[in-house]
Amino acid sequence: MSAADLTTLTAAQAADLLAAGEITSEQLVRAHLERIEATGRADGLNTFLHVDAEGALATARAVDEDRAAGKPLHPLAGVPVAVKDNIVTTGQPTTAASKILDGWVSPYDATVVERIRQARMPILGKTNLDEFAMGSSTEHSAFGPTRNPWALDRIPGGSGGGAAAAVAAHQAPLALGTDTGGSIRQPASVTGSVGVHPTYGSVSRYGAIAMASSLDQIGPHARTVLDAALLHELIAGHDPKDSTSLPDEVGDFAAQARAGAAEGGIRGMRIGVIRQLQQAEGIQPGVAARVADALEALREAGAEIVEIDMPHYRYALGAYYLLMSSEVSSNLAKYDGVRWGLRVEPEEGPVTIERVMAATRAAGFGPEVKRRIILGTYALSAGYYDAYYGSAQKARTRIIEDFTAAFEQADVLLAPTSPTTAFRFGEKTDDPLSMYLSDIATIPINLAGVPAISVPAGLSEDDGLPVGVQFIAPVREDARMYRAAAGLEAALEKAWGAPLLQRRPAVEDLLAASGEADAEGVSE
Ligand code: GLN
């Protein structure tokens, strides 16, 4: 197999070929490293903030040796993975795409990283994100935005734009991300990949740099539902180091994904459509059309479509931005110029602890992070606590109740993931509120802690860019979510042929064209 072919393999296909001895992990890792080198660096898609070629190759060679020696291996052993740079790793930096953590190397591994190391998946590197995972476009990264592999002048979503773009551009078959308000699913949606927000508490958050702890969740990025399920199974399960970790056994996600894709796999499943979301303003016509196609495909596969009311849906965005900012203001108080990364002394006057903290934060945090810290501090201040934080908590409870009621009428819910396809750079940076509206369909899920998966639903007719739809399941029913999602994936594959869903964006051509355009600019 040529190096180019190796990067087109899904994780499940690569795992099978490795097990059969038809390819080696070293070949697989090398092929992905070459592709990152060719398309992922700062002057390319800018997907990676750090690449650990040596570390990844060392793991790969060791796995190959053990396989040759007939030692027992995890099914994903030797399959490479990328890690979002707000998940801590020993041996390479973790920055959360913030200047305040530039150059910081964690003394310990996140639990999810420990698990991928135990399974011996080579870690390719750390992917770009909006600073501290705050944003929907990766434009808030202190190290420059990631470009969308489908159109270089477009955002790859956020905050996990680096991870989603890396997976969509075939630089990695799998990646680990974090989803506080949609940061795995929305980037998946706008890059034509798969992204999962697991049930809150089912995957350890230990070692995820905290943004808003009651909402943060680690989950998989992949190109297929089955691949996401395989990685999810590996990282899920109880962790005593995370006080909100559930004691549950890990579900049979991959088996359910296979069952859902089989003939009749989702027959009789009741799929709820949220009326308020279907009619929400700001949904791009091309997105609405793909959601309608997906529903039609599900109906043809034997599912039953039911309409669901979520009366408190309209409070979700406001509640999220208050609760999230409040938690952010508390979680980020630890970046004080003393314990981590950057330390800046005041330009003049006495060097007191307060003044060092102020100078460090002024220089180290970007505008979006500052905006949220200030908003959260205000919302939590004594005079406003009840009016803002208290009301937002009440709205959150109502939204949870809406989901509980919805799941009495439907097995899973289906909704658009992002109201639009990938927008252009700069389109929303001057207007934070319009950026926040990108999360309108993803944040209710985080508020309720329920699992959801974004699946590619084809390209929009408006602009030819990817559209994603998400399946939402009740708390602890992640397995059901995989079944439904794989059912849709199979139905769409049948309707359109696999190439539309598995298609690889022509990144090389786009990069070459933009390089030529730049060169012309210089010679003029
Ligand atoms: N885009 C959302 C925000 O800016 C979600 C972020 C996330 O999930 N980390 O808050």
Side-chain angles (χ1 to χ4, degrees), residues 88-102:
V88 305
T89 46
T90 54
Q92 51 180 321
T94 301
T95 66
S98 179
K99 276 192 265 174
I100 215 158
L101 281 176
D102 199 4

Side-chain angles (χ1 to χ4, degrees), residues 84 132-136 158-159 178-184 211 320-321 324 368 372 436 439 443 446:
K84 187 178 179 183
F132 285 104
M134 299 178 198
S136 308
S159 65
T178 63
D179 193 314
T180 302
S183 282
I184 295 176
M211 174 181 164
Y320 169 81
Y321 273 89
M324 174 273 297
E368 183 63 22
R372 294 189 191 203
Y436 298 169
D439 308 327
I443 55 173
N446 301 76

Side-chain angles (χ1 to χ4, degrees), residues 71-206:
K71 294 199 185 147
L73 290 167
H74 186 278
L76 289 175
V79 177
V81 61
V83 178
K84 187 178 179 183
D85 203 27
N86 63 344
I87 300 176
V88 305
T89 46
T90 54
Q92 51 180 321
T94 301
T95 66
S98 179
K99 276 192 265 174
I100 215 158
L101 281 176
D102 199 4
W104 180 69
V105 179
S106 171
Y108 68 97
D109 278 326
T111 297
V112 290
V113 171
E114 227 167 59
R115 293 194 181 166
I116 59 176
R117 285 201 210 276
Q118 271 159 13
R120 303 179 66 199
M121 300 178 71
I123 299 175
L124 296 167
K126 307 293 292 285
T127 57
N128 201 3
L129 66 151
D130 285 294
E131 185 176 3
F132 285 104
M134 299 178 198
S136 308
S137 67
T138 321
E139 290 168 290
H140 297 310
S141 166
F143 306 112
T146 296
R147 291 172 196 87
N148 190 312
W150 293 89
L152 301 183
D153 60 341
R154 305 267 177 163
I155 60 103
S159 65
V167 167
H170 295 229
Q171 295 167 353
L174 294 169
L176 288 177
T178 63
D179 193 314
T180 302
S183 282
I184 295 176
R185 288 163 290 148
Q186 183 259 8
S189 173
V190 301
T191 58
S193 54
V194 172
V196 179
H197 169 271
T199 292
Y200 181 79
S202 67
V203 174
S204 171
R205 283 184 297 113
Y206 182 75

Side-chain angles (χ1 to χ4, degrees), residues 204-257:
S204 171
R205 283 184 297 113
Y206 182 75
I209 292 185
M211 174 181 164
S213 310
S214 79
L215 300 155
D216 296 343
Q217 187 59 67
I218 293 179
H221 287 270
R223 284 194 298 272
T224 67
V225 173
L226 176 62
D227 280 5
L230 290 168
L231 183 58
H232 191 167
E233 276 184 20
L234 171 62
I235 59 174
H238 181 66
D239 177 16
K241 291 181 188 147
D242 173 356
S243 61
T244 57
S245 171
L246 294 169
D248 307 9
E249 296 275 310
V250 179
D252 54 347
F253 308 143
Q256 287 298 323

